[in-house]
Structure formats: structure tokens, C-alpha cells
Amino acid sequence: MASPPEYDLQLTSVDDVIADSKASTSNQQTRKRPVVVVDDQHPFDLDAYMGAYTGRTAISRLLYISEASRMLAPQALLQAIKLLKSTQDTTTYLSAVQTYNSLPSVSKPISVDTRWVDQTQANVANESERLEVELKSYLSNMIKESTRMGHRDLANHFAALGDYQSAILHYNKSREYSTTSRHILEQCLSVLELVIEHQNYAHIATYVFKAEGALDIPSPTAKKASLTQTLPPQTAAQAAQASSDHAKVQAKLDFASALAHMTAGRYDKAAYQFSKLGKGLSDWFGTVISPADVAIYATMCALAGLSRSAIKASLLENDTFGFYLQQESYVRELLDAYMASKFKLVLELLEKHSTRHLLDIHLGALWPDMQKRITNRSLVMYFQPFSSVRLDKMATAFGFELVELERLVVALIQDGSIKARVDSHNKILKARDLDQRALTYNQAFKAGAEMEASTRKLLLRMKLMQADLIVKGKKGANKGQGQEEISHEHMQMSMMRDEGFVMMD
Amino acid sequence: MNTHGLLSELLKPKEKASEHLDVLRSVLKQREGGEAVLSGGLEGGEDPLEILNPAINTLGVLFMMSSRLQNQSSPPVRPQLIANFCNVFEPEAARLAPERVTLLARGILRSSVSAKAAIPLLLTLLTRYAPNLSYLTTIHPVFLEACVSSSHFTHALPVLRVPITKIDKSLSDLHYNDNLQYHYYGGVVFAALKKYKEAEEFFEIVVSSPAQVPAALQLEAYKKLVLIQLISHGKLQPVPKYTHALISRALKNNSPYVILTKAYPAPQEVLTALLEKEIQAFAADGNTGLATQAIQRSPRWILKKLTETYLTLSLSEISQVIGISSEAEVRALVLSMIEMREIHASLSPTGTLTFLDDPSANAESVDKLLRDAQELGRSLAELDRELGIGREFLSKALKDGGQSENAGIAFMSEDADIWGSGMPGPHSSAAPNW
């Protein structure tokens, strides 16, 4: 899987981020969806899962599941349709009904509730018109604050309708009329919610960057608080309020950028960001994400990207993260197994819960790659303390077939992750003890010979330049033409020569 | 002046060969066809070349012979005469007229009955004309052309074995194409003799020759270089940094060479299918032979890669990986690779191949390397001295005023010291900085 080039969030200009984001969005679209199986070995309880979400994210998740799994599609779509009727989003409703009716496993098609659709559409049209008229009057009055609010209301309206493009457009417009950093923050967070919902991860960095800029500017209340030495009780309360707001916003931004790191394949950075999340994220629980999700993302990223000691420090011994670890029981089990080097159990747990991961709206597309990485890292870690290992024992420890294990190990040797060689006859993996002395000698020989040859060639080149024997384009003639001419002259020669090679073969 | 007059003028004893040169040059400047006078016969039907002694009248014979060989309509020269000239001519005199030597060399190749017949003549001419073989002359490419077009590759080896290090334009009226052609043909000769290391070096010289605009010959050489690198390294090697950027970029991503390089090494069937698809492109460049050889060597590279990964392998496993089904063939391949020291391994009678570590260096080879390095250091020091006393360097140093003059001397003395102490190694790498 191609991951976009790494960039430092703090240093890149917004233009870069946008340019970069375009490249990676196209990546995402070409990403293939894996086939998801739900059976006894891979349990998945849709109702329990969906219980953690409300609002638009619930709908998005249901639709994602309906696309990813054929088995769960009818159930998921029915739930989605039910939820959609409580919104104003008729477009998604209609398409969901249509998808449901075209499912091969559905015997009783459901009919569209036309009355509801017509009524909602009428309402929506009215509302849109009202908001736009308002916005126009604000614009002509040139009142900045009202204009901002006009845009924001329109954006919220479109977001409720599921019109992602228009919503983003109006949120961005509203920022142009923002006067305080608070407004900018508000706008950025709204956009982030939308972007995350629509899996447009590449844009996250841009808005996190903007929001952090706004967050650093102290709000007027905070300034006042720091100026007055003796705090009246009311202001003190305000200050406390402000600082907790600040923490909340920061947590949201951290989560968003962790998500961006994860979806771009930078699992180590993502794991760190996730593990730092405090409880400040509670506003987004349910509407954007569930605490269990955070636990899963953090754990999987850590397993795929962090060293054992880092996992211990950032996840297991991290008090703030302990809250998240309680949310999903198997996550702790998984981490404990990994720390105890019970790799077979690790892989079994991963396999068992792979359905849960594959059906996750954010993790789904990444999961096959992550699972592969975790397996590979486990293999590397297993071999580390040994100088030789019997492949069949290793296969048992991981619960693999011998052939499968050998294939994996050979791939790891070839990409340099394991410094060892396979004794294919006796099925033993042996660490490579390199004779550094011999290696150095051989390298010195090679370097010496290379240097001699290159010096000789450089001398000739120097002489050629001194004598002005430099290939020049023909004067007046087009450069390309000049080349062509010589090329014909020599074409004949090269023909002749090749007969020579063939004869010598 | 007519031919007769010229002949009698040439027969007059002169103190210096340069006087003959003046006469001959003035003939060439004549209005009514100087070349005609030079290539003309005598009234009695006698051949002036039979009369002149090439050992004494080197310039006269050189001018007349080159003119006759050049001119299709003039009477042919007896082959015996050419051979005689090549054997006895006076090099110092001939060097006064390098442009005629170029003409003569080309004339010899054109007029001889077969390219093969021209080889000994050109070889004698070349070895006697150049002060030593490290000088490049215009005869070099002509000689190699004769060798290559007659497929007598081994004849070229004595000349090719001496690397060109000296370029003297007053010795030979060189054109950049002479350098490119010589090294290109040299690469072709080595490639045909399966001496890939040398071939690679020669093609690399062509590719990396100084250029404002890459020549088509350089591009052709690059294609051959790519194939040769596949044969001798199993993968593409970077070209020297000073190579013109357009050359390596000239091969587009969809070119058969790039496709082949990316797929390499792979089982032969895959590569052969690839070759057959692009056969026209390779044939048009005259590279089918090389490409086929590269493909034939592909199993060796796959096997070599396996040494990094495995300690032991059975022949049947190897045959699976490299895509050769016959075990006897695999066994032969493995044995030949062990013999050629391409892999270090031993083959048990039961068909298990055990890879061993590369043998480490011994003291003798270290000594030899040190000697080589010292030799190179000395030759660089010599070169530095030559450069230091050269007119160009001195005038530049003087022009820049006293300050940099001192700097120049300081630089030289410092360097002389380094080489004098016989220390090779890091300092030699300073050479490219000049």
C-alpha cells in the first residue's frame, strides 16, 4: 500500500498540505476493500457495536458496513433507513432504500415513504431559501459577524442534509468573516467532524494546523484572568472553564491528527498521539467516535509501530489511557499476550477480531496491512534472542504451517528485517554472524578497485575537456536533428556488431 | 606544379622534413586541384610511390598515398607498398601532418579487399605512429572498426588493454567522435569476447564523456551499458555523477530496457516472453544478442540472491525458484557458478547445496592493493607536477596576482609531500576535485 510521503505537521505550509492531501485522497479511492466474513470464528454483533454511536456517524458506519459485508448488509441498511428518517437527508434515504431493495438476499422490498420524503424536501427547500435570503441581507449590510453566522448556519444546514461539499464550502466562507480565534476554532472543529465522517483524512492535517494556530492565541477572558492578580470568584470560575475548554479542544485536535497519522500509515506517531488522549474527547463520544474505537486504534497502531518498551510506557503504564483500555476487553488481553511473547495467542486474537476491525469505518481499509505488519514484527521479535531456531518449533509457536512460515521468514530476510539465513535442508533459521574483519577487508578491496577505475576515468575525462573534445550540438541545426544524424551513421555499425555477439554465443 | 615537378622537388635532399611539408602544403593550396597532383601518376605510367622511399620521404609518400587511397578514380596502390610504408615510415615526420595520417588510416580500411586485411596494416600504423599506446589517435577508431566489422575481436586486445590516458591534439586531429567511437567499439569488442567488466568500463566512458548535448552514440552506448550491467551485476548500477543528465533520462519508463531491468532477475521464461514482445526494439538497436545473454544469466543472479537468505537448499528447491525444471541443468548451473567463484558453496552428492561464507582477504592481496594504490598515487603526483608546470596553470596563477600564486605553490608543495610519503588512501580521492 502506498502511503504518502511523511510531512511534519507543524512545518508544512497549508499549500503543501492541500497539495499532498489531493494525492492521498486519490490513493484512498483506489484502495481495495477486503472481503469480510462474519461467522463463529469471527464474531460480530451489529447491535452491540452500533449502540455506541448516534447521529450522522451512526448512519455513515451502517452504510460502510453494508458495503463491506454482504451478510450484514440488509440488517445494517434497515437500521440506517430507520435512522435516516429522523434526519432531513432524503438523498441518502432514497439511495439506501434502493440499495436495500436491490440486495439479492432481500425477499420483501420496502417501499419509499413518499409522504415523508416530499414533506421533508419541501421543508428543506424552505429552510435553504430562508437561510440564503438571510445571508444575502447580511452580506449587503456588510456586518461581518452576521455574515459569518449566516454562512455557519447554512453550513450546518447542509451538513445535516449530507451535502458534504456545500457544507465545507460554507464553513470555509464563514472563516473569512471570523473575527476571533474562538470562531476559527469552532469552524475548524465543525469541519474536522465532517471530514472525519467522510473519511477524507488527508484534509485533517490542514484544519488541525489552522485550529492549533487559533488555539495558541489566548482568548480575551484568559488574558483578563492573568492580568488581574486577585481573582474575583466569578472570573476564576471562568478561567477554569476556559482551561478545560482548551483541554477539550486540544484532545479533539490530537485525536484528529492521530487519525490522520494512522490512515497515512504512520502507525508509530499515531500510537503516541492516541495514547496521549485524555478524557477531553468526551464531547465527541458517540457522535464521532466511541472510546472502544480509541482503545482499538491505539493498540493496533502500537503493535504495528512501537517497540515493546514504548508500548509498555505509553499504553500499559499510562494512567490516562487506562480509561480507554477498560472499554474493550480483548485489547488488554491482546497487549498482555504480546508483552508475554505469546504470539500464537496474539495472532489468534487478531484473527478473531479482524471482522470488528474490517467493519470499522476508519480502520477497515488499513487492517490487512496492519495485520501483516503486526505478524511480521512478531516474527522478528520472536527470533531476536536466538542464534538459531528450528522452523517447525517457530511454526508451532505462531500456529502457522511450516511452508507458510518459511515464506514469511524468507520475505523478512530479503527485506533485511531478520538478519539470518534459512537452512532449508534441516529447516533451521540461523542468525548470521558476520565476520566484520573479512567484511571490512572485502569492502576496502572493492573501494580501492573502484577508486582506481574512477580516477582513471576521471583523468581521461579531464584530458578530453582540456582538449575540448566535448560533444556539442550542431550549430544552427535543431538539437534533436543533430542527434538523429549521428544516430543513423551509427545504426549500421551496431547491426554489424550484434551478429558478432550471436556468433560468439 | 604537376606531379612530376612535385616528385623531383621531393627527391631533392632536404635538411629537415618540415621543408617537404611546406612544399606539399603549397601543392595542396594550388588552385587547380592539389589532390589531383598528389594522386596523379607520372607521364611514363610510372607510379611515383614506387620511386619514393617511405623511410626517407615519409611525408611525400604519406600525402600521395593518402590522396590516392581517398580518391576512387585514381589508380589503386599496390598493397605491398602500403604495408611497406606502415613498417618503415618515420613517426616524427608523419606527426607533422596528423590530418593526412587520419586520411591514410581511413583510406587503408576503405581500399583494402576485406576489413580483415586492413587489421595488421592499421595495427602497425597505430603502434608506430603513437608515442605509446596510452595516447588516443584518430587511427584508433578506424582500427577497431576493422576488427569489429571483420569479427576479429581478439586482434584488438593488445591495443585495448592499455587504457587511454593521454589526449594530444597536436599529435592527432581528434574529434569528439573519435573518442566516443573508439571506446564504443572497444566496449563492443569486450562484450563480444564476454569480458563484461572491461566492456562495462568502456561503455561507461562513452556514456560519461563530456557533453553539452548528448550524442546519439552515447545513448546507444547507454542501452548497451544497461544490458551489460545486467549481465555482470544482475542489476543496474548508477552512472558516474558527471554523466549528462539527459542520457540516463533518455530511456523512458516504458522502454523495453527499463521494463527488462525492472523485471530482472526473473525466471527465464518470464524474461524471454518479455524479450519476444519487445524483440523489434532490441533488434533495431542491435542488442538482441546482449539481451539474450542477460536473460541466460538471470538464473545465476536469482541463485546468488538466495545465498543471502539460505544456508542450505536442495537442488529441487532451487529449480523451483529459478524456473528450470531439469535437475541436471540446475546441477550444471550450480557447478559452473561454484567453479567461476560466483557463489561460495559446496554440493553434496544427495543434491543439497550448502552456502559458505565469502573467503576473506589474504595478506598478498592486501599487499598488491597497496602497491596498486601507491602506483596510482605516484602517477597522480606526476600528473599534478605536469599540471603545475603547464603554461595554462602558471599563466592563470600569475594573472590572479601574487596572492593566489602563493596559494598555488602551497597547494602543490603540500600535495607533493603527501604523495612523497607514499600514503595512498583518502588523499587519492582528492584527485577528482581538480
Side-chain angles (χ1 to χ4, degrees), chain A residues 277-304:
Chain A
L277 291 177
K279 286 178 195 160
L281 205 55
S282 50
D283 282 2
W284 271 4
F285 288 157
T287 56
V288 175
I289 202 80
S290 76
D293 285 342
V294 177
I296 291 170
Y297 295 167
T299 311
M300 297 311 146
C301 285
L303 292 182

Side-chain angles (χ1 to χ4, degrees), chain B residues 138-377:
Chain B
T138 47
I139 311 167
H140 277 82
V142 183
F143 166 64
L144 283 189
E145 193 184 335
C147 293
V148 168
S149 57
S150 63
S151 297
H152 281 73
F153 300 113
T154 37
H155 291 287
L157 286 183
V159 175
L160 290 173
R161 286 269 182 238
V162 185
I164 299 291
T165 51
K166 298 193 175 75
I167 307 279
D168 189 349
K169 267 191 147 175
S170 62
L171 177 73
S172 195
D173 56 339
L174 289 162
H175 183 254
Y176 66 76
N177 250 343
D178 290 316
N179 165 52
L180 296 183
Q181 277 185 27
Y182 170 73
H183 284 105
Y184 183 78
Y185 279 134
V188 169
V189 167
F190 280 127
L193 294 174
K194 303 201 185 230
K195 295 182 187 302
Y196 299 114
K197 212 178 133 236
E198 289 90 343
E200 186 189 352
E201 185 172 326
F202 270 66
F203 282 127
E204 196 185 298
I205 290 177
V206 181
V207 168
S208 64
S209 284
Q212 289 172 346
V213 180
L217 192 55
Q218 288 181 296
L219 299 180
E220 292 300 308
Y222 184 66
K223 291 178 187 168
K224 286 197 161 34
L225 182 66
V226 167
L227 293 176
I228 291 205
Q229 283 179 342
L230 287 187
I231 294 175
S232 65
H233 297 283
K235 59 179 186 228
L236 215 56
Q237 304 284 313
V239 285
K241 266 180 253 150
Y242 43 80
T243 307
H244 198 287
L246 282 180
I247 292 176
S248 46
R249 253 188 270 149
L251 290 187
K252 301 283 184 301
N253 270 342
N254 54 4
S255 95
Y257 294 91
V258 176
I259 295 172
L260 183 64
T261 317
K262 282 199 178 139
Y264 202 88
Q268 273 177 312
E269 288 158 32
V270 180
L271 295 178
T272 311
L274 219 153
L275 177 70
E276 269 159 19
K277 220 176 103 198
E278 303 284 354
I279 191 78
Q280 279 185 329
F282 284 112
D285 294 334
N287 283 337
T288 327
L290 278 178
T292 316
Q293 287 190 45
I295 291 173
Q296 277 167 4
R297 284 185 66 91
S298 174
R300 290 170 179 260
W301 293 114
I302 303 178
L303 186 53
K304 214 169 148 54
K305 264 194 175 172
L306 292 179
T307 64
E308 304 283 315
T309 319
Y310 290 98
L311 267 175
T312 61
L313 267 180
S314 68
L315 285 183
S316 57
E317 281 171 307
I318 297 177
S319 72
Q320 239 175 30
V321 180
I322 59 181
I324 297 178
S325 49
S326 137
E327 201 157 299
E329 244 177 87
V330 177
R331 183 184 290 270
L333 174 78
V334 167
L335 287 179
S336 101
M337 283 185 75
I338 297 175
E339 269 166 30
M340 307 273 277
R341 291 172 168 271
E342 285 172 17
I343 54 172
H344 302 280
S346 63
L347 187 62
S348 77
T350 53
T352 308
L353 191 65
T354 310
F355 296 114
L356 311 169
D357 279 334
D358 294 354
S360 69
N362 53 20
E364 284 149 49
S365 45
V366 175
D367 281 348
K368 188 183 168 298
L369 195 73
L370 277 178
R371 271 199 305 279
D372 286 353
Q374 279 168 357
E375 189 56 39
L376 188 69

Side-chain angles (χ1 to χ4, degrees), chain A residues 406 409-411 413-414 420-430 432-433 435 437-439 441-442 444-446 448-449 451-474 479 482-484 486-491 493-505, chain B residues 148-149 151 153 163-165 167 169 174-177 179-181 183-185 188 191-194 201 204-205 208-219 224 242 283-290 293 307-313 317 352 355 357 359-361 365-366 369 372 376 380 383 387 425 428-429 431-432:
Chain A
E406 192 174 333
V409 167
V410 165
I413 295 174
Q414 274 162 358
R421 296 204 284 188
V422 174
D423 182 339
S424 169
H425 184 62
N426 300 317
K427 299 292 173 203
I428 291 175
L429 180 63
K430 256 194 172 150
R432 231 180 157 172
D433 50 338
D435 184 352
R437 186 166 171 274
L439 207 66
Y441 266 116
N442 285 337
F445 277 135
K446 227 177 119 202
M451 199 209 69
E452 201 200 315
S454 72
T455 312
R456 198 169 56 239
K457 279 179 249 175
L458 272 170
L459 283 181
L460 173 63
R461 186 182 157 83
M462 192 180 83
K463 295 275 180 187
L464 285 171
M465 303 213 2
Q466 265 179 358
D468 197 30
L469 290 184
I470 298 173
V471 183
K472 286 169 188 156
K474 296 211 167 137
K479 279 176 192 173
Q483 282 178 22
E484 280 302 304
I486 317 175
S487 128
H488 286 301
E489 194 181 303
H490 292 292
M491 205 49 91
M493 306 192 311
S494 52
M495 295 290 199
M496 258 168 4
R497 236 152 296 121
D498 202 54
E499 284 163 27
F501 294 142
V502 177
M503 283 192 315
M504 302 293 287
D505 281 349
Chain B
V148 168
S149 57
S151 297
F153 300 113
I164 299 291
T165 51
I167 307 279
K169 267 191 147 175
L174 289 162
H175 183 254
Y176 66 76
N177 250 343
N179 165 52
L180 296 183
Q181 277 185 27
H183 284 105
Y184 183 78
Y185 279 134
V188 169
L193 294 174
K194 303 201 185 230
E201 185 172 326
E204 196 185 298
I205 290 177
S208 64
S209 284
Q212 289 172 346
V213 180
L217 192 55
Q218 288 181 296
L219 299 180
K224 286 197 161 34
Y242 43 80
D285 294 334
N287 283 337
T288 327
L290 278 178
Q293 287 190 45
T307 64
E308 304 283 315
T309 319
Y310 290 98
L311 267 175
T312 61
L313 267 180
E317 281 171 307
T352 308
F355 296 114
D357 279 334
S360 69
S365 45
V366 175
L369 195 73
D372 286 353
L376 188 69
L380 285 177
L383 202 83
L387 198 73
S428 325
S429 62

